[in-house]
Amino acid sequence: MYNEAMKEDFLYLYNEVFDEEGNIKNCGRKKCQELIEKCQEIDPGVFYGELNRGFMNIDAIRRLRKTIP
């Protein structure tokens, strides 16, 4: 489970990587890697992407976003 700080970090990173319509911004690999790490920290049982490459599992990240108010 996640705490308030983890939630805030996730939402910040999510908004850095995705726009209001859910499209990926031109944010760079580092932000994608940070978002993947945060997702794994919140919900370690799901594959959120390849951390080394910054390749995101977009569907899984979007599903996680829907669960966080």
Side-chain angles (χ1 to χ4, degrees):
M1 198 62 196
Y2 59 89
N3 60 36
E4 192 64 27
M6 291 167 67
K7 172 184 167 181
E8 289 176 16
D9 290 347
F10 170 78
L11 292 174
Y12 170 78
L13 290 167
Y14 186 89
N15 290 326
E16 289 287 304
V17 175
F18 293 94
D19 67 16
E20 299 80 25
E21 297 172 7
N23 300 308
I24 300 171
K25 296 179 182 179
N26 185 12
C27 60
R29 182 187 325 230
K30 178 115 174 88
K31 286 289 181 192
C32 295
Q33 290 168 322
E34 290 173 9
L35 179 58
I36 293 167
E37 279 184 314
K38 187 54 62 178
C39 291
Q40 291 173 338
E41 184 180 342
I42 290 172
D43 187 13
V46 176
F47 175 73
Y48 288 104
E50 295 178 22
L51 189 55
N52 292 335
R53 293 177 41 206
F55 182 79
M56 298 181 295
N57 180 347
I58 296 166
D59 292 334
I61 293 171
R62 286 180 179 154
R63 277 193 302 273
L64 179 61
R65 173 63 186 97
K66 288 179 183 179
T67 68
I68 297 178

